[in-house]
């Protein structure tokens, strides 16, 4: 499609693009600087606000198609010299520690030359594929993506409440990240990584 055609079909959009600094748009709005690790109180507050099931109804604070809840959530403390992934148990508001042989979590999560600075933690959103397809078939995948988006927004709000900021990235290798979590990539698909830290100057 030529520029003239785009101008005819979306003149306002092209005017906006012409007025933008493209290099500024390409830069990440957040580059994290070193900060103190999240303590369990801060971690618990984020998860309680954003993801915890209601003790009576077992409903979670975000929508899910058919209440299937196919998104599994993992937490990783990136400030640790040997991070161990924690799987969040929504109904119990507890974590189970997973064994992992991953030697370079930052590379597995963010890519080998990530531009994010020094994030302190990460939330990893993983799709349980069989669970997402059992009721709605192929539409279940789309519903799961919507659910993951709602969860990330909830997480972002909670992260701000504890005085930090977040950034969503998908620069990881699906198979590599699933292997680091000890998951079968045929059944569990990493959707996104939400990195957390203190914004730099």
């Amino acid at each position: 499609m030529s520029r003239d055609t785009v101008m005819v079909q979306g003149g306002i959009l092209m005017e906006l693009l012409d007025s933008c600094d493209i290099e500024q748009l390409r830069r990440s709005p957040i580059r994290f600087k070193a900060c103190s690790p999240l303590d369990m109180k801060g971690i618990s507050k984020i998860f309680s606000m954003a993801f915890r099931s209601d003790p009576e109804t077992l409903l979670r604070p975000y929508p899910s198609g058919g209440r299937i809840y196919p998104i599994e959530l993992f937490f990783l403390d990136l400030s640790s010299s040997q991070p161990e992934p924690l799987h969040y148990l929504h109904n119990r508001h507890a974590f189970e520690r997973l064994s992992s042989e991953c030697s370079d979590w930052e590379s597995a999560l963010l890519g080998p030359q990530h531009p994010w600075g020094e994030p302190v933690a990460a939330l990893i959103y993983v799709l349980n594929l069989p669970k997402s397809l059992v009721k709605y078939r192929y539409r279940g995948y789309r519903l799961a993506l919507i659910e993951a988006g709602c969860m990330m927004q909830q997480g972002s709000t909670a992260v701000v409440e504890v005085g930090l900021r977040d950034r969503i990235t998908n620069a990881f290798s699906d198979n590599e990240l699933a292997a680091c979590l000890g998951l079968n990539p045929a059944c569990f698909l990493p959707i996104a990584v939400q990195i957390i830290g203190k914004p730099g100057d």
Side-chain angles (χ1 to χ4, degrees), residues 6-189:
V6 174
M7 286 291 287
V8 170
Q9 294 180 348
I12 295 175
L13 175 61
M14 288 309 301
E15 288 176 17
L16 289 172
L17 288 175
D18 285 341
S19 66
C20 288
D21 181 345
I22 299 301
E23 286 304 313
Q24 183 64 30
L25 288 175
R26 288 179 179 156
R27 294 192 192 104
S28 167
I30 294 180
R31 181 174 173 82
F32 299 108
K33 63 182 178 182
C35 67
S36 301
L38 269 172
D39 58 17
M40 280 311 297
K41 183 178 179 181
I43 296 168
S44 180
K45 183 175 181 179
I46 291 172
F47 278 80
S48 181
M49 286 181 59
F51 312 115
R52 185 179 189 176
S53 297
D54 182 281
E56 295 182 5
T57 66
L58 299 184
L59 294 177
R60 302 181 192 177
Y62 48 84
S64 178
R67 299 180 184 175
I68 294 173
Y69 300 115
I71 303 299
E72 299 293 338
L73 187 59
F74 299 84
F75 175 82
L76 195 70
D77 179 3
L78 293 175
S79 65
S80 171
S81 58
Q82 293 183 320
E84 292 181 298
L86 303 175
H87 177 220
Y88 184 58
L89 306 173
H90 298 80
N91 295 347
R92 294 166 49 194
H93 187 52
F95 296 93
E96 63 174 340
R97 193 175 303 277
L98 305 179
S99 60
S100 173
E101 297 180 2
C102 184
S103 59
D104 189 354
W105 271 106
E106 282 207 17
S107 178
L109 289 170
L110 311 173
Q113 296 181 322
H114 69 84
W116 314 125
E118 298 182 61
V120 70
L123 302 178
I124 307 167
Y125 298 82
V126 176
L127 169 61
N128 180 328
L129 192 55
K131 197 173 180 182
S132 74
L133 301 178
V134 67
K135 185 171 184 179
Y136 296 110
R137 303 302 181 213
Y138 72 91
R139 286 191 298 123
Y141 179 75
R142 297 200 301 266
L143 291 171
L145 294 179
I146 293 170
E147 178 178 324
C150 293
M151 291 176 71
M152 284 181 254
Q153 182 59 54
Q154 292 278 98
S156 182
T157 301
V159 165
V160 171
E161 283 290 320
V162 299
L164 299 173
R165 294 294 183 273
D166 67 300
R167 175 82 178 170
I168 306 297
T169 179
N170 63 355
F172 52 84
S173 159
D174 296 25
N175 288 345
E176 181 183 2
L177 184 50
C180 282
L181 292 168
L183 302 174
N184 180 350
C187 297
F188 294 93
L189 307 178

